[in-house]
Each structure stands twice: as C-alpha cells, then as structure tokens.
Amino acid sequence: RSPPISNGVLAWIPAVLSLREDKIIDRVGLDSYMFLRYMRSMFVIFTVLSFLSLVTILPVNIIGDGGAKGMSVLTIANVAPESKNLWVHIVFFMVFVVWVMSNIFLELRVYTRLRIWWLTHPSHTEKVGASTIMVSALPQALTDSDERIRSTFDLFPGGVRQVVVNRDCSELQEIVEKRDAYAGKLEGILTSYAAKCEKAHKKAAEKGTTPKEVKRPTMRESKIPFKGPKLDAIEFLSTQIGELNQQIGDLSKDASQFKRKASAFVLFRKQIAAHMAAQSVLDYRPFSMNMVSLDINPDDVIWGNLNLNPYDRRIRSYISLGITIGLVILWSLITGALTTLVSVNNLKKLPGLENMTDSKFMGIFTGIIPAVLVAVVMSLLPTILRLLLRLEGTPRKTEIDLRLLNRFYFFQVWNVYLITIFTSSILTIAANGFNDPKSILGLIPEKVPDSATPILTYILLLAFTGAAKEILQVVRLALRYILPMLFAKTPRKISAAETPAEFDWGTSIPTHSLIFLMGFSYSFIAPLVNCFAAVYFGFYYLVYRYQFLYVYNDANWATGGLSFPKSVTQTMVGVYISEVYMFLMMLAKLANNSNINANAILRVVFPGLILLLTIFAHIYIKDAYMPMVNYLPVRAAADVERNPKIATTFPDVTGGNDLECAVDPSVSEEDRVRQLMYATYGSLAPKWLIDFVLKKMPRLLSHGRDENSPSAAQPDAFSSDEEKQNGHAPAQGVSGVPGVLITDSGIVPMPSAHHYNRDGSAAEGEKRLSDNTNILSIDSRAKSPGGMYPALAGDHLDAMHLDGTGDAAGGAASFRSITSATQLRQRGPDAAHSLTSAADRKSRYSMVDTAPLAAAGDNALAEAFSNPALRAKTATVIWVPLDNFGICNGLYADVQRWGAGTIAVVTEGTWIDGKGHVRADTEFDADGGEHSGVAARTSADGA
C-alpha cells in the first residue's frame, strides 16, 4: 500500500507528484505505469503544441483576410485561399507530426525493454502461468490422450512438464451453484435472526422483563408460492447444504469420470517454449489448435468458452461483427437525433416553443446538453459490446477488455467524433453538395472550422467534469453508504459493498485516445484546441496518479502492459485523420484559389508527402516493435538464462545497449541512475536539459544507493506487498531482491504465504486464532475428496473441532471466552478488531498475486488448472454475527450438526452494535483460510 497522506484538501497532490516514476512500477505494476506514461506523454505533446501554435498559427489566422466572423477569426477559415501564410500551417503541422511520432518511438522503446524485463523477472517466471499455454480446438486424437498432447509439444525446448485437459463439469457446477445459493440464504436468515434476538433481549433488559423468544423463520421447499408445508428455514437450509456438500465431495473424488473436452493447458518446463508454441502452426487441419493463449491465470479463464467448435466460433464472430455494425448505425441515428433535437431552431418547431428567443442561456444549453446526452448514451455501449465479445467465445476476461479497446474506440470515433461533432457541417456540406457537387470543396474550409466550438465544449466538459468525477467517484461514494443501508444486511455483503474499485481499461483508454484525435486533428485548424487538450490530459494525469496509488486495485489485471500498444495504434489513427484533414483543407483552398500556381499546388503535395511518410513510419513500428510486444525474444531468454541478474536489474530502457549492459560491472552507479533519468523524464525534457539539471544537482546521482534511489527501487518493483503490509522485512538473498535468492545454481524463489513450497507441499498458513476467536468449525483432516489433490495452504479448520455429530472432540460443544469477546464487541469495532493482532491480520483486498508457483507439485497444479467446479470446497463457511447475549450459540452448533459436519459458522470480524445494526470488519476474510483458518476442503469420509 502507498503511504498515508497528511490532512488537507490538496495534500494528495504533492504526495503523488513527489513519488518517482520508477517507484510507481513498484506500487501499481507495469500496466498502470505505462498507462500513466501514455497520459503524461499526451500532456507533454499538447503543451508543446499549444506553445508552438499560439505563437505561430494563431497570429496568422487572426491577421488573415479570409472574411471570417466571430470565433472563426481564430481558425484557418480566416486565411484566404491564395495566401502564402498557409505555408505556416503546413510547416508547423509537419513539426507537430514529427513531434508526435518522436514521442511514440521513445515510449515504444521504453515499453519494449520494460516488457522484456517484466516477462523475465523471477516474480513473473515463478508463476507457472508464465510457462503455460491454453490450447482450444484440439483434434479428437489428442483430446483422448494426454500422452499424445505431451509428445506433440515435447518438441519445444525443455519439453512439457504437465498436461491438464479441460473436462465437462456442468452437472457438478449446478450443484455447486445451488449450494452457494443456499449458503447465501442461510447467512441472510441467521444474520437477521441474530439481530432480532439482540434487539428483543436488549429491549427486555431495559424494561426489566423476561425477553420473548424470537420466532424462528420458516420457508417452503417449493419455488411456487404457498405450495408445500412450512419448514424451519434454518434447519432445512443447513440440511440441504450438508447434502449438497456430500454430493460435491462424491462427484469430485475422481475427475476422470467427467468427459474430456477439446481444450487443454500445456505446462512447459521453460518459459520460452510457451512463447515459441504460441507462434507456431500446431496442426495441419484448418482451424485445429488455432487459438493459443499465453500467460495463463486460471482465475482469468472463461471456462464456458474453452470448448467451442472452431467453426461455431467463426460463425459467432461473424454474427457479432454484424451486430456491432448494426449498433454503429443505430447509435449514429440516436446520437444524431439527440444532438439535432436540442438545437434552438429545431426546438422552436416543437408545440409551445415557437416563441423561444435565442438567449445566451439557450446558447449554453444547446452547446453543453448534446455532449451530456452523448456521454449518457455512450455509457450503455460497453456492457453490450462485452456481452458480444463473450458470446463470440473469447476465452479470457482480460482478452475481452483488450478487444473492447478497439471496438469501443471505433464507436467513439464514429458516433462521438464524426456524427456528433460534425453533424452540422457534414449535413450542410452534403445538402449543398447534392445540388452542386462542385461546391463541396469550397464548403470544407468554411464549414469544418465551425465545428471547433463543439470540440472545445466536449473537451472542456470532459477535462473538468470528467476528471472531477473520476476523483470523486460519486457513484461508489453513494453506494458506500446507500448499498449497505438498503441491501447489504449480512457481513459478507457489507464487506462486498466496500470492495475497492477496478480501473475500466476497456472504455477509459479509447476515450482518452478520442480526445487526442479531436485535439490533434484541429491542432492546425483551431489552435486553441491544443490548450484545452493539454488541460484535459494534465488534469487526468494528476488524478490517475492518485487513483492508481490509492484507489484502484487491479490485481486481476496483469497483462504486462498489453494495452499500451493498442493506445499507440489509436494514436496513429488520430495522426492519419489529422493528415487527411490537412490534405483536404489544402485541396479545398486550391479549388477556391483563383490564381492556381506552383506554390498553391505544392501546398497540396506536401500534406500528401506527410501522409505517405507517416505510413512508412507506421509500417516500421509494426515490423520493429510489435513482435516484441507479444512474445519473449529468444535472445532475451538466452541472455537471462546465462546471466540471471539481468532479470532482477532495472533495464536500460533507452534501448541503446544490450540487456547485459544493465549488469555490466564496469558501468558506474551514476551512469545507471543517469540512464534511468533519461528513460523516466525523456518525454518531458531533452537529454541536454537532464544533464544540465544533474550537473547542477549532483546529489540526484549520488543517492543511487539509498532507499529512494533507482537502484534500490529496482528489485522492489515485484516485491511482496503482503510482507510490507504486515510489517515484516522481506527476505534478502545474495541479489538483494526480496523473495528471490540468487546462488551459483541460479534463481531460487523463497517460499511465502499463499504459495506452494518447492517440494510441492502446501505452505503453512499464518498463525492460528487467539483464544478470543469466536468460531465453530469442523475437522477438515486437511485432505481432499478421495485424496486426489493435496491440501492447499490454509486448508485446516482451526479452533474448535466438531465431529460428524456436531459435538466437540471429547465432549459437548462449548464456546471459548464468550464473555470477554462479548465485552469486546460491545465496545465497538475497534475492540472487535483487536481479536487478532495487527501483525496477523491480512486485508482481503491485498494486491499480492496468489497465482500458483512453478514450484508446486504436479497434483496441486492439476487442481489449480482444473474446472472451478472441481476445485469447489466441500466445506461451507457461514459468516454471521454472534448476539451479545449468547442466544444464538446453541443454534449455530445445531447448524453445524444439521450440516453433517460440512458447515463452519464463523463469527469473527462481525458484531452487533448498540443500535442493533450488524457491522463487519470489511477487511476480514472469512474464507481466506490463513487468518481465520476456515477455508477448508473436507473429505467425504470426514463429513
């Protein structure tokens, strides 16, 4: 976690700006860091463009003699077609393009080096997913035989470690979902019952009377209202959960009974083998094994999409594409109608508004309302597009968001930019051009600059209200108080209501790319746009630095920055459209020029040359950088295998040297820091200026070995957040890298919580509960059903152990320290939190990656990469409060007894306050298994 911020309304600004760029990777990861670099580069680009355009292009527009009026005086429309001053626009637009392309090249050079570093860093390669591929559309011959799959992929370096074929677990999945639904109902009923008991007994105590017994809730087994006899809800649900848990245990004993499907996970011994397999043609039949995914995290997989027939997948993609095009047309009509409707002239046509005056208020109304309406309409699209991508058969959640980047950007460009912003000018040009086609070119330089006002309005709206909305998080702030009050009645739902937000990668990046398109395409037409775009990116960059450091939890989004190349592609689209504008504008000026000469013709030729050179530059980018973005270069893998220190040393991201230069002992520490400064601030200032600052402030180079230095921060980029949160000093090896020991034999990952030990056994959970813990549990025997898989970390039900009859081992059920725990709860949440020490508590919102390590045993990995239904626990955790009068003690013991020993009732981390409201420690993880010790997998025999 980032350090706390001092009090003060604006204290967050210096706090986030003072953090060095290399430390941001440590805190938020490569994906968020590259996004912040993208926003910063856009801010720098438009800041420079603003200065250049205001001192060159804007004065030329103002003194022009084109006869423009109003705000159009500030645009290119005020420059006469025959004026030689048009060369100012052309020359500086060429400078603009060169400036943007140089920034793109710089950022790509930085990113490719950081991407290789991320791929080869021990904290990534330790995860078994780094050397695993997911293959779909397996032929029948391979589906039926693990050995055939193994022999096919053994051709790659190092060979195959393990093969896990996906299985059809639909029957088991239905049982698991039914069990979970019953568990949710039971939690709600028990929580409500405990609260009612608390209120009844407190009210009776105040009056000095005998409390009335609270009536137990009832329900009917049938889903049809009023059908069937009334049953005791608690007993019925507990019994059903116990039976379903037993069924889950029986069915998951032997995974081989489930039908094998045409998809599998192939776990290689070497990471480079996975990357080579992903680039290879795997089969000689059409569409067979044609979908291969890299860097697999089982929690990221959409299991229902793994087994689609390749032809079915193709048909779905065509249907999805058709629906997407239909949505483009539909949204075009909707957005066009909305923006046209709110114009003053059209409003006057409505009954009762005939006498409307063209007041300043109406001018503001018709300028802002279209942008607001479009923003509301566009907010509905991402949900529809995500659903379409899921129906196509996209196998991973992160892949859906990565694909959404392109589709949503296409929507934004078409509906927001071309339809909304240019509705008036395009319709006017088209209407006049229909009667007189020759007049089209003449209308372009007159009408297109008029669209600058809607662009300014839209950018300003998003710059101020968008950035403010982003930092305020108004909806989540409201839900933080309203949702628990109205809907979140159980501790689990109360905790879920405060789940940290996740950044919406699929829709946010296209929106910012659209602003670049708007700003850059009008950079030479209406120079004031550059200033507003600079304000937009400046505000958002500042806000996002804070959001990523203190608000967003993107532990589930770890692609190694794969969204950044898509941002580059969208930026190139903006450059292309801008160059087409320049070409058409000069062509239109030529058509309106009564004195066509060589000078006027050259003004058309030069924009065409700019467009051609940009195409060549884009081809170079695709050929030079894009292959390194998706796959690990063989030479990089070989260099790291020969010298493991490369992977743990911050790279020379300027890209001028080999990877081994980063660990060259002849390179001084000052030179390393200097290279890091070039990479970090190269997009803000030229090298000579950085050298000048370093010369004047040599202490920036001399602090290379302290805590905040680049060298000290290098290994920290992938250190354990869990160790930092718990206040433990990370283990240091010879390399000085937390969690990594570099020996003569290579890199050895140090075992830590959540992970498997190198011998394949489960790592021990954290300290058990103190005597004040209020928990009822059963003995899990630390064993999986049928012993198919070894127990995972924390698979012990600690505290009191009940046998199958619900009695405590060695006697009747009893409760420890109820009185002291009750006193603690009555004193409020702070006292309740003291049930465990701060060192033992672990946040449920920790961003520590818990993906299985490559050091895990084969059986553990087989379970980790199996269908979630096969991994479902056969012990259900019910997290409910314990009333302060101990009335529910016996009932909770009955619940465990009715559940046939497969239900654990956990009361830690929750209490009932003085007003009778249920409260919960929102960071307590009842199912975590480490802190509470209840996330267990019980055997059918134990049940």
Side-chain angles (χ1 to χ4, degrees):
R1 290 180 174 175
S2 299
I5 297 177
S6 60
N7 295 330
V9 177
L10 300 178
W12 61 276
I13 296 179
V16 299
L17 289 180
S18 61
L19 188 66
R20 283 181 26 174
E21 300 291 303
D22 53 314
K23 297 294 290 184
I24 293 181
I25 303 180
D26 174 27
R27 301 277 171 81
V28 301
L30 185 57
D31 292 277
S32 301
Y33 171 73
M34 289 310 304
F35 174 70
L36 289 175
R37 281 195 70 112
Y38 170 75
M39 296 299 292
R40 188 186 69 183
S41 64
M42 293 296 105
F43 167 67
V44 173
I45 285 173
F46 280 105
T47 300
V48 174
L49 295 187
S50 298
F51 173 77
L52 292 177
S53 59
L54 290 181
V55 300
T56 56
I57 297 178
L58 185 61
V60 171
N61 292 341
I62 294 175
I63 65 175
D65 53 357
K69 299 180 181 179
M71 292 293 292
S72 296
V73 174
L74 304 178
T75 69
I76 197 174
N78 198 42
V79 181
E82 63 277 0
S83 174
K84 293 184 179 180
N85 288 338
L86 289 173
W87 278 106
V88 175
H89 297 77
I90 295 174
V91 170
F92 277 93
F93 180 70
M94 293 175 64
V95 173
F96 293 172
V97 173
V98 172
W99 171 238
V100 171
M101 295 304 297
S102 64
N103 274 270
I104 290 176
F105 278 106
L106 172 64
E107 296 302 317
L108 278 174
R109 189 163 61 246
V110 171
Y111 170 65
T112 51
R113 285 303 177 97
L114 287 176
R115 169 76 177 171
I116 293 173
W117 179 58
W118 182 83
L119 285 172
T120 58
H121 197 280
S123 64
H124 178 69
T125 57
E126 283 175 6
K127 305 297 186 298
V128 69
S131 55
T132 299
I133 62 171
M134 182 172 64
V135 188
S136 300
L138 289 171
Q140 190 64 40
L142 270 64
T143 301
D144 295 337
S145 173
D146 288 355
E147 191 57 37
R148 290 287 299 275
I149 299 177
R150 181 184 295 273
S151 62
T152 300
F153 290 96
D154 261 337
L155 297 174
F156 294 101
V160 174
R161 172 181 177 178
Q162 192 170 359
V163 173
V164 181
V165 177
N166 189 31
R167 295 179 181 273
D168 183 5
C169 304
S170 54
E171 178 185 358
L172 179 58
Q173 182 66 37
E174 292 179 3
I175 298 175
V176 172
E177 291 175 356
K178 186 177 181 180
R179 187 273 309 271
D180 293 342
Y182 279 161
K185 287 184 179 180
L186 182 59
E187 277 190 350
I189 290 174
L190 287 175
T191 300
S192 177
Y193 183 75
K196 290 178 180 178
C197 290
E198 174 77 15
K199 291 179 180 178
H201 280 67
K202 185 176 181 180
K203 187 175 183 181
E206 291 174 352
K207 294 181 178 180
T209 60
T210 303
K212 295 182 180 180
E213 183 179 357
V214 179
K215 185 180 179 181
R216 290 264 286 268
T218 60
M219 64 178 295
R220 301 179 191 270
E221 184 176 0
S222 175
K223 295 182 180 179
I224 302 175
F226 308 109
K227 182 180 180 181
K230 289 186 177 180
L231 305 172
D232 183 290
I234 298 175
E235 181 178 358
F236 171 75
L237 291 173
S238 301
T239 304
Q240 290 296 308
I241 292 173
E243 293 178 358
L244 293 172
N245 277 331
Q246 289 180 352
Q247 293 181 38
I248 293 171
D250 293 338
L251 286 174
S252 59
K253 280 182 180 180
D254 183 11
S256 62
Q257 64 180 305
F258 298 103
K259 182 181 178 182
R260 298 164 67 95
K261 305 296 288 185
S263 59
F265 298 95
V266 182
L267 287 62
F268 292 95
R269 291 188 175 89
K270 288 189 175 183
Q271 181 187 20
I272 190 62
H275 284 258
M276 294 174 69
Q279 301 175 71
S280 302
V281 179
L282 298 177
D283 202 359
Y284 46 80
R285 287 190 283 184
F287 304 134
S288 180
M289 293 195 290
N290 66 329
M291 181 169 287
V292 181
S293 300
L294 274 169
D295 290 321
I296 303 301
N297 180 358
D299 294 333
D300 186 42
V301 175
I302 303 175
W303 297 87
N305 286 347
L306 295 186
N307 305 306
L308 293 177
N309 181 283
Y311 292 96
D312 183 19
R313 199 186 298 271
R314 281 296 172 106
I315 293 173
R316 288 187 179 208
S317 64
Y318 296 147
I319 294 175
S320 174
L321 180 61
I323 295 176
T324 301
I325 295 174
L327 285 174
V328 171
I329 298 173
L330 176 63
W331 247 255
S332 300
L333 297 176
I334 293 175
T335 54
L338 289 175
T339 53
T340 303
L341 181 64
V342 296
S343 66
V344 176
N345 293 332
N346 289 328
L347 289 175
K348 288 181 178 181
K349 298 177 183 179
L350 298 177
L353 301 178
E354 297 87 353
N355 298 324
M356 180 185 297
T357 59
D358 298 339
S359 63
K360 293 182 179 180
F361 171 78
M362 288 306 302
I364 297 174
F365 174 83
T366 57
I368 295 179
I369 293 301
V372 174
L373 291 176
V374 170
V376 172
V377 172
M378 293 298 291
S379 66
L380 302 175
L381 272 174
T383 302
I384 301 175
L385 294 178
R386 280 192 174 95
L387 178 61
L388 288 175
L389 290 170
R390 194 181 188 99
L391 293 177
E392 279 187 33
T394 307
R396 293 192 294 174
K397 300 169 189 175
T398 52
E399 190 176 338
I400 285 180
D401 270 343
L402 288 173
R403 295 183 63 190
L404 181 63
L405 287 173
N406 293 332
R407 292 204 180 187
F408 194 64
Y409 182 66
F410 172 67
F411 263 101
Q412 294 269 48
V413 172
W414 181 261
N415 286 283
V416 177
Y417 186 65
L418 297 179
I419 299 299
T420 304
I421 302 302
F422 292 137
T423 296
S424 58
S425 59
I426 288 179
L427 291 179
T428 302
I429 294 173
N432 295 339
F434 182 78
N435 299 323
D436 184 12
K438 295 181 180 179
S439 66
I440 292 179
L441 289 176
L443 291 171
I444 289 177
E446 176 185 350
K447 298 298 180 182
V448 171
D450 291 342
S451 299
T453 300
I455 284 183
L456 292 175
T457 302
Y458 191 80
I459 295 178
L460 273 178
L461 176 69
L462 291 184
F464 291 97
T465 64
K469 183 180 69 173
E470 171 64 33
I471 197 170
L472 286 176
Q473 299 278 311
V474 177
V475 175
R476 296 190 63 86
L477 182 63
L479 292 179
R480 162 65 179 78
Y481 296 99
I482 296 175
L483 189 62
M485 191 186 309
L486 299 179
F487 306 107
K489 302 298 184 182
T490 67
R492 196 180 302 275
K493 290 182 179 179
I494 293 172
S495 180
E498 294 197 10
T499 302
E502 294 184 3
F503 184 63
D504 192 350
W505 296 90
T507 60
S508 298
I509 292 178
T511 301
H512 301 311
S513 298
L514 176 70
I515 298 301
F516 170 82
L517 167 59
M518 288 181 172
F520 194 66
S521 61
Y522 269 67
S523 60
F524 68 95
I525 296 176
L528 284 179
V529 174
N530 295 322
C531 302
F532 294 112
V535 171
Y536 173 90
F537 285 107
F539 277 164
Y540 263 102
Y541 172 65
L542 178 63
V543 169
Y544 277 138
R545 280 182 70 108
Y546 173 79
Q547 298 294 82
F548 280 113
L549 288 168
Y550 290 95
V551 177
Y552 290 129
N553 183 351
D554 283 311
N556 294 327
W557 182 270
T559 68
L562 286 181
S563 60
F564 179 75
K566 295 185 179 294
S567 301
V568 171
T569 301
Q570 293 170 3
T571 303
M572 292 301 303
V573 171
V575 174
Y576 284 137
I577 292 179
S578 304
E579 291 171 344
V580 171
Y581 275 8
M582 171 60 80
F583 178 78
L584 291 177
M585 191 65 66
M586 293 301 109
L587 186 63
K589 293 287 187 180
L590 178 65
N592 295 332
N593 192 346
S594 58
N595 182 23
I596 299 178
N597 51 32
N599 194 301
I601 295 175
L602 284 176
R603 289 200 295 266
V604 177
V605 173
F606 268 82
L609 291 176
I610 298 173
L611 178 60
L612 187 62
L613 292 175
T614 304
I615 293 174
F616 287 140
H618 194 188
I619 293 174
Y620 173 78
I621 289 175
K622 293 185 67 176
D623 292 342
Y625 290 104
M626 292 308 166
M628 290 186 290
V629 165
N630 295 312
Y631 305 109
L632 175 64
V634 174
R635 184 187 172 194
D639 288 347
V640 171
E641 187 168 338
R642 182 174 60 255
N643 189 351
K645 290 184 179 179
I646 294 176
T648 58
T649 305
F650 198 86
D652 173 18
V653 292
T654 56
N657 300 312
D658 292 341
L659 296 180
E660 290 184 316
C661 291
V663 294
D664 188 350
S666 63
V667 179
S668 66
E669 188 67 20
E670 288 191 359
D671 288 338
R672 296 184 195 278
V673 177
R674 189 182 302 275
Q675 291 295 329
L676 179 60
M677 291 291 184
Y678 290 156
T680 303
Y681 305 108
S683 60
L684 293 174
K687 283 189 176 182
W688 63 267
L689 183 57
I690 297 175
D691 288 333
F692 177 78
V693 173
L694 294 177
K695 183 178 180 181
K696 295 296 182 180
M697 303 176 66
R699 61 184 179 84
L700 295 177
L701 294 176
S702 62
H703 286 179
R705 291 181 176 85
D706 65 15
E707 181 181 4
N708 296 321
S709 70
S711 59
Q714 290 164 10
D716 242 345
F718 291 90
S719 60
S720 171
D721 286 342
E722 177 192 1
E723 292 171 333
K724 295 175 184 176
Q725 291 171 204
N726 291 338
H728 300 307
Q732 298 287 341
V734 177
S735 64
V737 182
V740 177
L741 178 66
I742 297 184
T743 65
D744 294 338
S745 57
I747 296 176
V748 180
M750 294 182 179
S752 59
H754 306 288
H755 295 143
Y756 302 104
N757 297 327
R758 292 187 62 81
D759 60 1
S761 61
E764 292 185 7
E766 295 185 8
K767 294 181 180 180
R768 297 189 175 187
L769 295 174
S770 63
D771 288 339
N772 281 335
T773 300
N774 293 299
I775 172 175
L776 306 177
S777 60
I778 46 110
D779 190 357
S780 68
R781 306 293 188 263
K783 184 179 179 183
S784 300
M788 180 179 176
Y789 304 120
L792 300 180
D795 279 359
H796 298 279
L797 291 179
D798 296 329
M800 185 187 308
H801 301 295
L802 301 179
D803 57 20
T805 64
D807 294 330
S814 61
F815 299 85
R816 285 179 279 181
S817 303
I818 290 298
T819 303
S820 61
T822 300
Q823 293 171 350
L824 285 171
R825 286 194 304 277
Q826 289 175 339
R827 287 201 297 269
D830 292 337
H833 291 182
S834 67
L835 289 172
T836 54
S837 65
D840 290 336
R841 294 184 68 252
K842 175 183 175 298
S843 171
R844 64 162 56 234
Y845 307 129
S846 172
M847 292 183 67
V848 176
D849 187 359
T850 58
L853 294 180
D858 290 349
N859 284 341
L861 292 179
E863 181 179 24
F865 284 89
S866 63
N867 192 291
L870 287 172
R871 291 184 268 135
K873 301 180 185 300
T874 56
T876 301
V877 177
I878 302 297
W879 189 24
V880 290
L882 189 64
D883 65 282
N884 292 312
F885 296 90
I887 303 167
C888 296
N889 291 356
L891 177 60
Y892 291 168
D894 288 339
V895 168
Q896 296 184 134
R897 176 170 53 84
W898 291 327
T902 67
I903 297 178
V905 179
V906 181
T907 61
E908 184 190 3
T910 181
W911 65 97
I912 300 176
D913 62 16
K915 296 181 179 180
H917 297 152
V918 176
R919 295 289 182 257
D921 175 4
T922 57
E923 294 199 3
F924 175 75
D925 189 0
D927 297 313
E930 300 172 85
H931 179 65
S932 62
V934 297
R937 174 184 284 274
T938 52
S939 66
D941 295 335

